[in-house]
Amino acid sequence: RIYAADGNLFFARPGPALREGIAILARCAYDDEDVVREALDELSFLPKEGNGWAQVHFPAKAKKQSIPDVEDLVTGDTFFEFHQEACEANEDFYVDPTTGYNVFTEVAHKKRGKCCGSGCRHCPYNHVNLKDKTMIQQPAFLYEGTDNASGDAFISSLSSIPPNSHIKVLFFSGGKDSYLTIRKLVQQKLQSNGTDNFHLVLLTTYDFETKVIAHQDVNIDTVCRQARHLEIPLLGIPLHRSSGEEYLSRIEKGLDAVRSAIPDIKQLTLVFGDLHLEHIRQWREKELSKYSLEYPLWKVPYTELVDDLEASGVNIVVSASNQDGIGVGTTFSRTLWQDATKMGIDGFGEEGEFHSVAEVWTASKEQALGLKL
């Protein structure tokens, strides 16, 4: 159960309302015990629910099993269903439930026959003519790679990837774990002696309004900078937090954008930088079961991961933290990993204790990728 209360009135400062605050805490704690709850409700100084405190109830759609780190929030009036209904009725626009404005549907855009370059909410053309790619509202490539790579290179521009290729799509947050996953894929490729032919694409989800990647507190511009330095194509998937569209639906649209950009994909593999959290892996394997999934870092000892970070020459910086001893801006190092372990938390922040950003531009592309031996 989740409750919201007026912290300034009942908890944040000393005063007469502290008594009421304690009563509210007790009322919330014993809400499922009828006898205690009824006795507390008889207290004359306990504010009635709705008067400064209340239980938070979520829409039915949010009650299904989900992974909070990756699921988009469903809040308020949602335009996704309005848009679906309008498209089913073959209508050119619908009224946004929040703003009251008319919004063109995908049906209307398809009648136009091309992307207008305005960053429309329901653009079906992957925003191909939008100059400022940070303004995309639908999944689209934020960086397509450079054309100097040959078509047989696993790090290639979109235009140089040949038909019937194996595409590995790495879910990339910009942090150390997903960066280390790139290096592990490079190692696997080099050790395969040409038997594991694939091309790599990065996929990043982020908040449309703030342009920030959830939990990482990293702006999408930083991830674009990473992709440009490494010369790896980057697909952006903006999440509209009041759309009502579910996370998996957005991911599928993103993968459709990959299919549109690369002709006749032979195999599509989804790659994740998960280290050891079983419940997240189980969720992925249940919800994304129609795809081939890979976890290159799964249960790799932390000592090996730290060794590889040091070998990369890339500076890793803490971008978000809920630990007093680990400040934002601190360099992640062997010492920090050891100190975090001594603090009794996961040394890599796998439980959400802290997050990081890999400043890949602090090393050459070759060294950052592990191509320079």
Side-chain angles (χ1 to χ4, degrees), residues 23-324:
I24 290 172
L25 284 176
R27 176 63 173 73
C28 296
Y30 292 98
D31 194 27
D32 58 347
E33 297 188 22
D34 295 342
V35 175
V36 179
R37 184 183 67 247
E38 291 172 2
L40 289 169
D41 285 340
E42 294 295 325
L43 296 176
S44 60
F45 54 84
L46 172 64
K48 298 297 182 183
E49 184 171 3
N51 184 16
W53 73 279
Q55 185 174 358
V56 179
H57 298 281
F58 293 94
K61 285 185 177 180
K63 291 182 179 178
K64 69 177 187 177
Q65 183 181 8
S66 64
I67 302 298
D69 277 359
V70 296
E71 282 282 0
D72 191 16
L73 295 178
V74 180
T75 58
D77 294 324
T78 59
F79 63 74
F80 179 71
E81 291 182 356
F82 284 83
H83 177 247
Q84 278 191 315
E85 292 172 0
C87 287
E88 290 171 0
N90 201 36
E91 296 177 350
D92 290 343
F93 66 88
Y94 65 94
V95 177
D96 184 275
T98 302
T99 66
Y101 294 151
N102 288 340
V103 180
F104 282 122
T105 63
E106 185 174 316
V107 171
H109 292 302
K110 287 182 176 178
K111 288 180 180 179
R112 179 187 288 120
K114 63 179 181 180
C115 173
C116 67
S118 299
C120 300
R121 179 184 285 178
H122 301 292
C123 176
Y125 304 107
N126 301 324
H127 295 292
V128 64
N129 293 326
L130 178 62
K131 293 183 178 180
D132 184 0
K133 295 299 185 182
T134 63
M135 298 306 295
I136 64 171
Q137 297 206 53
Q138 290 296 316
F141 277 93
L142 302 175
Y143 173 69
E144 297 186 1
T146 56
D147 290 329
N148 57 8
S150 61
D152 60 353
F154 68 102
I155 295 179
S156 311
S157 66
L158 293 178
S159 60
S160 63
I161 298 177
N164 299 313
S165 292
H166 179 194
I167 305 301
K168 291 191 177 184
V169 179
L170 170 60
F171 283 58
F172 186 74
S173 67
K176 63 185 183 317
D177 297 349
S178 50
Y179 165 60
L180 283 171
T181 304
I182 295 178
R183 286 180 58 86
K184 179 63 73 172
L185 290 172
V186 170
Q187 294 168 19
Q188 292 175 354
K189 176 69 175 182
L190 295 177
Q191 294 169 1
S192 70
N193 295 319
T195 60
D196 188 10
N197 293 316
F198 66 88
H199 297 267
L200 183 61
V201 170
L202 305 180
L203 180 156
T204 301
T205 61
Y206 60 95
D207 185 271
F208 170 73
E209 295 293 338
T210 65
K211 306 296 187 286
V212 170
I213 299 164
H215 307 289
Q216 300 290 130
D217 278 352
V218 172
N219 193 281
I220 188 62
D221 287 342
T222 299
V223 176
C224 288
R225 184 181 180 185
Q226 293 172 320
R228 287 193 297 268
H229 183 75
L230 300 175
E231 298 184 352
I232 305 175
L234 170 65
L235 178 80
I237 302 183
L239 302 178
H240 296 265
R241 289 194 169 271
S242 60
S243 69
E245 184 176 9
E246 295 182 358
Y247 173 82
L248 290 173
S249 172
R250 294 298 280 176
I251 293 299
E252 195 59 43
K253 286 183 179 179
L255 297 177
D256 284 342
V258 174
R259 297 183 184 98
S260 297
I262 303 173
D264 303 320
I265 294 176
K266 181 179 181 180
Q267 180 180 346
L268 191 62
T269 299
L270 308 186
V271 184
F272 303 95
D274 299 324
L275 301 182
H276 60 73
L277 295 182
E278 294 283 355
H279 69 286
I280 292 182
R281 178 166 179 166
Q282 290 172 3
W283 182 88
R284 298 194 197 284
E285 293 181 349
K286 175 184 176 183
E287 301 295 342
L288 299 169
S289 58
K290 67 178 180 179
Y291 294 102
S292 174
L293 308 181
E294 288 187 10
Y295 307 85
L297 302 185
W298 188 252
K299 294 189 177 179
V300 173
Y302 282 179
T303 52
E304 292 185 22
L305 298 182
V306 173
D307 288 343
D308 197 32
L309 278 179
E310 292 180 341
S312 73
V314 167
N315 191 38
I316 307 295
V317 177
V318 174
S319 59
S321 173
N322 59 23
Q323 301 294 316
D324 292 337

